Amino acid sequence: MATDHAPPPPEASARLLLPQILPALLVGVGASLLFLGVSFVAEEFQHVLWNDLPDALGVGRYSSLWIIVMLTATGVAVGLVVWKVPGHAGPDPSAEGLGGPPHAPGMVPGLLLASTLALAGGVSLGPENPIITANIALVYWLGRKAAPEAPGAAWVALASAATIGALFGTPVAAALVLSEALVGQPGRGSLWDRLFAPLVAAGTGALTTQLLAEPSFDIGLPPLDDPGFGDVAAALVIASVAALLGLAACYLFPYVHAAYRRLRHPLVMLPVGGLTLGLLGALGGHLTLFKGLAETKELTASIGGWSSGELLKLAVVKLVALLVAASCGFPGGRIFPAVFVGASFGLCAQALVPEVHPAVAVSSAVLGILLATTRQGWISLFTGAVLAASPAMLAVLCLASLPAWLIVTGRPQLELDHEGHSLH
């Protein structure tokens, strides 16, 4: 007979896990479809705003004037949604991380509308936080209705894992995030028992995305097959300096957020934030707009064609734009724009020291920036490794993460509590 502290027998574990498969499959498909639907609508609307409309008006697509007008108009549009739409587009984005507790389903339409407008309008935020928040709200609400006896945390885990799998096109990222979250938390069964259903959801979400779209983090970096001591040294330095750069934004975040909060009304905060983003976009150019993944691919397609000064300007402008967008009330995530910041900074380092391999420079800089801005160790390491497109780089990045983590751990995060104070 099993005691209270002994693991359940294998057949008991199997009986508990098998009924979880169908709900996990359904959640995985649904989470991916929501992500793909929002992405499709945002991309189509982006094409209208930044291609069709300026062409019809005879205005340059990415002229300074058009960038300023479009970002300001986006601020007005999102401000109206936050002000008038039921649910006010969800909670304050500055206090929302990657996941979190379930919110009322009534705020989901406003949140998705505001996020779609921001993505299409060129705001420097990604789709991950709003999509995860929306999926958690919907899955929790539906799950509690369909199976009220199931723990609410189980539905949250399924929704989070499915969405992360859909966003990255692989369940590996979700497994890493959940294993980090589950460490030290009480729960029945082994870690793999607790990860079983979320991994089904994540795998289904990733597969659905792969079947219906072509997600790719391949940014065209030349692979590094045989890293040496010089590559390790370069990665250690670049990741650490990039972490310091990201940490500077974290220290500034509560002050910038407080400045926008003094404007009080969303129809003032968001248009002023949009105008600021427009001015930054006019300064940095079209590559500093939008969530940043496509722009990162465009940037790395011409390695050697940018000066170190130009690349540093792109990195700083994008980081400031991320800081402003996250402070003034636009819904969105930090991962995708932070990847662009890291890629720009890494290529800047490579332009200054051409002996550094581009894959080392970019992947280690992305690692450092993400560690500072997200505090998600596994996501940061995973993203850096995927961008490097070289299995041999994984060991180098693991070493590079150590000094970078020492720099950021215990420091302010790019996330605030609900009183506007920094999280540590």
Side-chain angles (χ1 to χ4, degrees), residues 38-294:
V38 169
S39 299
F40 174 78
V41 173
E43 288 169 5
E44 291 297 308
F45 193 32
Q46 176 183 327
H47 187 82
V48 171
L49 294 178
W50 294 92
N51 295 77
D52 297 344
L53 191 55
D55 288 350
L57 296 174
V59 181
R61 291 182 177 181
Y62 292 106
S63 65
S64 296
L65 177 61
W66 190 250
I67 290 174
I68 293 170
V69 168
M70 280 309 309
L71 266 300
T72 305
T74 300
V76 173
V78 176
L80 285 170
V81 173
V82 175
W83 180 28
K84 289 295 187 181
V85 173
H88 305 289
D92 182 357
S94 66
E96 289 294 299
L98 202 62
H103 297 282
M107 65 84 193
V108 170
L111 174 62
L112 295 181
L113 176 58
S115 177
T116 302
L117 291 171
L119 289 169
V123 175
S124 293
L125 291 171
E128 60 273 20
N129 287 23
I131 298 295
I132 291 176
T133 300
N135 275 328
I136 288 175
L138 294 174
V139 169
Y140 182 85
W141 176 60
L142 292 171
R144 297 296 281 175
K145 285 183 172 296
E149 72 282 357
W155 297 113
V156 172
L158 287 183
S160 300
T163 312
I164 293 172
L167 284 163
F168 287 92
T170 170
V172 175
L176 294 173
V177 170
L178 286 174
S179 62
E180 188 174 13
L182 290 174
V183 169
Q185 290 188 9
R188 185 175 183 177
S190 69
L191 177 62
W192 278 103
D193 280 345
R194 298 159 69 189
L195 284 175
F196 180 82
L199 281 180
V200 173
T204 307
L207 184 59
T208 303
T209 300
Q210 290 171 359
L211 291 174
L212 299 178
E214 294 181 0
S216 174
F217 276 77
D218 182 8
I219 59 174
L221 289 173
L224 177 66
D225 297 323
D226 188 21
F229 290 110
D231 298 309
V232 174
L236 291 170
V237 173
I238 293 172
S240 298
V241 177
L244 288 171
L245 178 63
L247 198 57
C250 297
Y251 274 102
L252 289 173
F253 189 34
Y255 301 102
V256 179
H257 179 266
Y260 280 103
R261 290 296 139 180
R262 290 191 187 99
L263 300 177
R264 297 183 180 277
H265 201 284
L267 206 51
V268 180
M269 287 190 300
L270 284 152
V272 171
L275 174 60
T276 308
L277 292 176
L279 294 171
L280 288 168
L283 175 64
H286 76 279
L287 287 180
T288 60
L289 305 176
F290 307 106
K291 66 180 182 181
L293 188 56

Side-chain angles (χ1 to χ4, degrees), residues 93-99 129 180 243-258 319 322-323 326-327 334-335 338 368-377 380 404-405 407-418 420-424:
S94 66
E96 289 294 299
L98 202 62
N129 287 23
E180 188 174 13
L244 288 171
L245 178 63
L247 198 57
C250 297
Y251 274 102
L252 289 173
F253 189 34
Y255 301 102
V256 179
H257 179 266
L319 185 59
L322 168 58
L323 183 61
S327 298
R334 285 82 152 147
I335 293 177
I369 287 287
L370 285 177
L371 283 175
T373 55
T374 71
R375 300 302 154 87
Q376 296 279 344
S380 304
W405 184 255
I407 289 170
V408 304
T409 186
R411 307 292 182 183
Q413 301 183 28
L414 202 64
E415 183 180 342
L416 307 176
D417 61 23
H418 290 284
H421 302 126
S422 294
L423 294 180
H424 290 73

Side-chain angles (χ1 to χ4, degrees), residues 385-405:
V386 168
L387 294 177
S390 173
M393 272 297 300
L394 185 56
V396 176
L397 292 175
C398 284
L399 293 174
S401 70
L402 301 179
W405 184 255

